[in-house]
Amino acid sequence: MALNPLNVVMLGPPGAGKGTQSERFAKTHGLPKIATGDILREAVHAGTELGCIAKKTMDAGQLVGDDVMIGIVGDRLHRPDTTTGFVLDGFPRTVAQATALDRMMARRGPLVVIDIVVPEDALLRRLAARRICGSCGVNAPIEWTSACGQCGGALVHRTDDRDGIVAGRLQVYHRQTRPIVEFYSARPTFRTIDGNQPPDVVTASMDAAIREASVVTGGVL
Ligand code: ADP
């Protein structure tokens, strides 16, 4: 029997650890990680037209328009490296995006949806501590104390992680993104995991959850 592709969607509030966990999972399983926040930050860094459109909205902690985001992800999912699957981080963020993703997935196998749950006080602590490289934009793992381990650039706070913006981003999450948990929760391939644990423990639970869900999909794990 032919195996289905492994199409993973990561859900969770800002600071839940989606980026770290999707990076690890994608690397271990040889899948492309598609992080819409990274795509937008790269566009801002490169000063492209998309970057100019997105910068103000991102800095204010609001969501970039659905049409723009659906276009970006639709194009990315046409690339051949996604035929065996992918890990999506940061998309969908609205019910309109989730509906569009279902349309894109026609004949591509089911989605495995992982919702990482973390209490709000822990999220606020994590976002206050989060740093990225001011030169190349990569997320700084905890081991990097002052300089980027990739390019030597200085580590800085993300503009949208500053006080005053974070509370608004969590509100945007509750109002616009949380409803997609209801959208997916009745599917047999939906799993919730506890993200308020050490990163390696979250990695192991996520692996186990996806392995179990992919039995339902006839997937590759
Ligand atoms: P976090 O890691 O905190 O969840 P991201 O790095 O994924 O944040 O995204 C940063 C910002 O990029 C968001 O606050 C939003 O402005 C924009 N963005 C990313 N993905 C989307 C999306 N699917 N729809 C709308 N805006 C998005």
Side-chain angles (χ1 to χ4, degrees), residues 105-221:
M105 296 313 295
R107 293 180 303 279
R108 295 187 62 152
L111 296 170
V112 172
V113 182
I114 300 295
D115 184 30
I116 307 187
V117 177
V118 175
E120 196 123 325
D121 56 338
L123 294 175
L124 291 170
R125 274 198 305 277
R126 289 181 186 185
L127 293 169
R130 177 156 80 175
R131 297 286 182 277
I132 61 164
C133 172
S135 299
C136 71
V138 73
N139 271 318
I142 203 116
E143 311 80 77
W144 299 356
T145 47
S146 58
C148 173
Q150 275 181 23
C151 77
L155 301 184
V156 297
H157 226 147
R158 247 168 65 173
T159 321
D160 59 349
D161 280 348
R162 296 200 177 129
D163 275 358
I165 305 290
V166 162
R169 279 169 64 211
L170 290 172
Q171 260 180 25
V172 165
Y173 169 75
H174 285 294
R175 206 174 323 123
Q176 290 175 267
T177 305
R178 187 76 200 158
I180 62 181
V181 172
E182 311 316 315
F183 180 91
Y184 287 126
S185 62
R187 298 190 185 185
T189 51
F190 174 86
R191 296 288 182 281
T192 297
I193 62 170
D194 177 6
N196 196 21
Q197 311 181 81
D200 289 350
V201 178
V202 179
T203 305
S205 344
M206 183 168 136
D207 228 80
I210 295 178
R211 190 175 295 277
E212 193 208 33
S214 77
V215 171
V216 182
T217 70
V220 291
L221 279 189

Side-chain angles (χ1 to χ4, degrees), residues 36-37 40 64-74 90-91 97 104:
T36 47
L40 294 172
V64 174
D66 283 335
D67 292 350
V68 172
M69 297 312 304
I70 290 165
I72 291 173
V73 173
F91 185 97
Q97 292 179 14
M104 292 174 208

Side-chain angles (χ1 to χ4, degrees), residues 10-80:
M10 305 288 296
L11 302 181
K18 300 185 298 291
T20 307
Q21 297 302 335
S22 52
E23 176 82 43
R24 289 182 180 188
F25 188 85
K27 213 175 236 167
T28 314
H29 298 283
L31 296 170
K33 173 194 166 195
I34 304 172
T36 47
D38 291 349
I39 294 173
L40 294 172
R41 276 185 293 277
E42 274 160 30
V44 171
H45 196 68
T48 62
E49 196 187 334
L50 168 65
C52 296
I53 298 171
K55 182 169 179 10
K56 259 189 152 163
T57 314
M58 291 172 75
D59 285 351
Q62 301 297 314
L63 297 185
V64 174
D66 283 335
D67 292 350
V68 172
M69 297 312 304
I70 290 165
I72 291 173
V73 173
D75 286 350
R76 182 63 187 86
L77 291 179
H78 271 114
R79 301 227 311 245

